[in-house]
Each structure stands twice: as C-alpha cells, then as structure tokens.
C-alpha cells in the first residue's frame, strides 16, 4: 500500500477546510478500496502534530486538558468527540501504550476515526501553518506513513 498524491491532496484539502474538495476525494478513496495508504497518512500526520505539540515532555493532565479544550470549543456538539478515545489516540501517538487499548478496543472504528480527524484538525489549526509549513508536514507524514508499511 502506497501513499499517493491523491491521498496527500485529500488530507491537504481536509486540513485547509475545503469540504468541496475533501468530501468527494474522501468518498472516492473509501469506495474504491484505496483508503489504506490514506489512513496511514492521516495517522502519521496526527502523530507528528501530537508530538509537535506535547514533546519532548508531556503529561496525561496536558493531554486531558487539551482534549477538553477542543471539545469545549464545539459547545453543544462536544459529544461529537469521545474524550476517552481522543485521549487514548493522543497517548498512543506519544508512545504511551499503557491503558490506551481498553478505550480504543471498546470504541467503534467510526468513533476512532471521527475523534482522530477532529483532533487532527484542531492540532493543525493550533499550529497555524502557512502553505509551506503545511507542505512540510504533509511530506513528513508521507515519509512516516511509507516507513510504517
């Protein structure tokens, strides 16, 4: 499974909040069965952004507060993000496997994907990337994803 230019384009359009581009690309990738490289790219970008925000030192309290802040920004729609799933995904991205499996095992694939995408958008927004920095992130994420294959 290779990360393609189409995968990168889809993620770029998502992070730039271009639903008119992202939604058809995302749908086409899922329906065509070519989403595996795309899923790896999303995970790699998520890992890079989580580590950028919380490394070199991080604490569970910081992760919990960050997730709570993101959820609070959704107001009445805070429930769209399962806090335990989001926290567990972030901890896993930071290399902490302890106690993350239970929450992730209980969550459905849709809940995990939704939490990951919503947190990825928040992390990218907080990073306030210009076009060049976003390209650097996507290139690094592509490299990381291809190493994980």
């Amino acid at each position: 499974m290779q990360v393609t230019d189409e995968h990168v384009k889809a993620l770029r359009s998502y992070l730039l909040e271009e639903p008119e581009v992202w939604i058809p690309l995302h749908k086409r990738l899922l329906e065509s069965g070519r989403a595996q490289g795309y899923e790896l790219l999303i995970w790699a970008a998520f890992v890079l952004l989580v580590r950028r925000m919380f490394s070199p030192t991080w604490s569970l309290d910081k992760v919990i507060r960050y997730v709570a802040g993101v959820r609070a920004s959704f107001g009445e729609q805070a429930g769209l993000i399962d806090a335990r799933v989001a926290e567990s995904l972030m901890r896993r991205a930071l290399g902490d496997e302890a106690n993350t499996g239970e929450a992730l095992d209980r969550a459905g694939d849709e809940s995990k994907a939704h939490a990951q995408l919503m947190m990825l958008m928040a992390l990218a927004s907080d990073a306030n990337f210009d076009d060049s920095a976003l390209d650097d992130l996507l290139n690094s994420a592509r490299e990381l994803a291809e190493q994980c294959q």
Side-chain angles (χ1 to χ4, degrees):
M1 100 206 90
Q2 181 182 3
V3 176
T4 67
D5 291 341
E6 186 177 34
H7 297 145
V8 174
K9 181 179 179 180
L11 183 53
R12 186 178 218 299
S13 65
Y14 174 74
L15 294 175
L16 290 174
E17 298 183 57
E18 297 173 337
E20 69 283 355
V21 176
W22 179 71
I23 291 172
L25 274 173
H26 180 79
K27 186 176 179 181
R28 188 169 56 241
L29 287 169
L30 293 177
E31 289 173 351
S32 70
R34 295 178 291 129
Q36 197 169 15
Y38 180 50
E39 291 166 358
L40 270 177
L41 180 65
I42 291 169
W43 174 251
F46 180 78
V47 167
L48 291 171
L49 287 173
V50 168
R51 290 179 180 173
R52 182 176 193 239
M53 173 158 290
F54 292 97
S55 290
T57 60
W58 70 276
S59 70
L60 182 55
D61 288 343
K62 287 180 185 176
V63 170
I64 290 170
R65 281 195 301 273
Y66 185 77
V67 170
V70 170
R71 291 181 77 233
S73 73
F74 282 90
E76 291 180 12
Q77 297 181 335
L80 292 174
I81 301 172
D82 183 318
R84 300 244 339 162
V85 170
E87 292 161 7
S88 293
L89 288 168
M90 292 179 77
R91 289 173 61 194
R92 187 164 278 175
L94 290 162
D96 181 14
E97 298 288 331
N99 302 316
T100 61
E102 186 178 323
L104 295 177
D105 288 343
R106 281 186 283 144
D109 289 342
E110 188 174 322
S111 177
K112 290 185 274 194
H114 191 73
Q116 184 179 359
L117 283 169
M118 299 300 286
M119 296 308 296
L120 177 62
M121 179 63 78
L123 290 159
S125 178
D126 288 346
N128 199 27
F129 290 125
D130 61 17
D131 281 342
S132 176
L134 181 57
D135 288 340
D136 289 345
L137 168 70
L138 293 171
N139 289 333
S140 296
R142 187 177 195 163
E143 290 174 16
L144 180 59
E146 289 174 347
Q147 290 171 7
C148 293
Q149 294 184 40

